[in-house]
Amino acid sequence: MRTVELLLDEAAELAVREAWRRLAQAGLPSQARHRSPTNRPHVTLAACPELTAPIRWELAEVAAALPLPVRCTGVVRFERPTSVLAWALELDSALAGLHRRVWEAVASDSPPAALNPFHQPDRWSPHITLGRTRRAGAFAGRRVPELLPPPPLSVRLITLRSYDTETGALETLAPRP
């Protein structure tokens, strides 16, 4: 699978890494425990089996819309197949439009069954993951928000990239020249 992700500006990335550090210090699930050099704070927009030429063409246009400022709205928890602690982002019209363009690009040239339904525009919740675990309820009933630094008021989404989950390769998805 290939993800399509947005990277954060330097100040927001530092704030996220500090939250990761504090969670790890408290013995809680944290993205800081992922030591891969590819592990960076990001917002996942979609995932697809491959980035075909038609998908790449559309994603180059999306990349041209960056940077994009968004507002961070606070801590959120998800209980999906995994427990996730994250900072939520406001889904304003600019971010919703950018996400819809990415979704339409990957959906246009991918088998529908291969796409994650949580990435569909009507179901997607923009967030920056702070910690994740397969242990259900790992963050429930804890005073986790008190451990965390305050989220940045504003985040600039600056770079579109793709991560290949099979090879570990990263690729920056740049605008067409």
Side-chain angles (χ1 to χ4, degrees):
M1 291 297 280
R2 297 289 301 258
T3 64
V4 180
E5 305 169 346
L6 289 165
L7 298 180
L8 319 177
D9 66 87
E10 185 178 354
E13 180 166 335
L14 289 173
V16 173
R17 289 186 182 278
E18 175 62 14
W20 289 0
R21 185 189 68 74
R22 290 185 187 190
L23 288 170
Q25 273 189 327
L28 292 168
S30 169
Q31 293 304 99
R33 298 190 197 294
H34 297 280
R35 300 287 184 200
S36 168
T38 64
N39 183 35
R40 284 186 65 183
H42 65 274
V43 177
T44 302
L45 299 166
C48 58
E50 65 177 303
L51 294 180
T52 63
I55 292 172
R56 287 174 181 284
W57 183 262
E58 294 300 321
L59 293 180
E61 292 215 357
V62 171
L66 299 174
L68 179 68
V70 296
R71 204 169 68 79
C72 193
T73 60
V75 176
V76 65
R77 293 180 180 101
F78 300 107
E79 291 294 333
R80 293 178 177 167
T82 58
S83 291
V84 175
L85 179 74
W87 278 337
L89 299 177
E90 180 179 29
L91 186 56
D92 62 14
S93 61
L95 182 56
L98 185 142
H99 174 258
R100 181 169 295 284
R101 291 174 67 196
V102 168
W103 175 260
E104 289 171 354
V106 299
S108 72
D109 205 26
S110 298
L115 300 176
N116 184 333
F118 288 121
H119 294 151
Q120 291 176 355
D122 60 339
R123 296 186 68 190
W124 182 66
S125 297
H127 65 278
I128 303 162
T129 299
L130 304 176
R132 175 183 339 171
T133 181
R134 294 188 189 278
R135 202 175 54 225
F139 299 106
R142 299 183 185 249
R143 301 179 72 123
V144 174
E146 295 171 10
L147 294 171
L148 300 174
L153 296 176
S154 180
V155 173
R156 285 184 26 175
L157 304 171
I158 59 170
T159 303
L160 192 66
R161 80 169 185 179
S162 178
Y163 173 70
D164 186 320
T165 61
E166 292 176 21
T167 67
L170 288 174
E171 177 184 356
T172 298
L173 303 169
R176 286 189 298 276

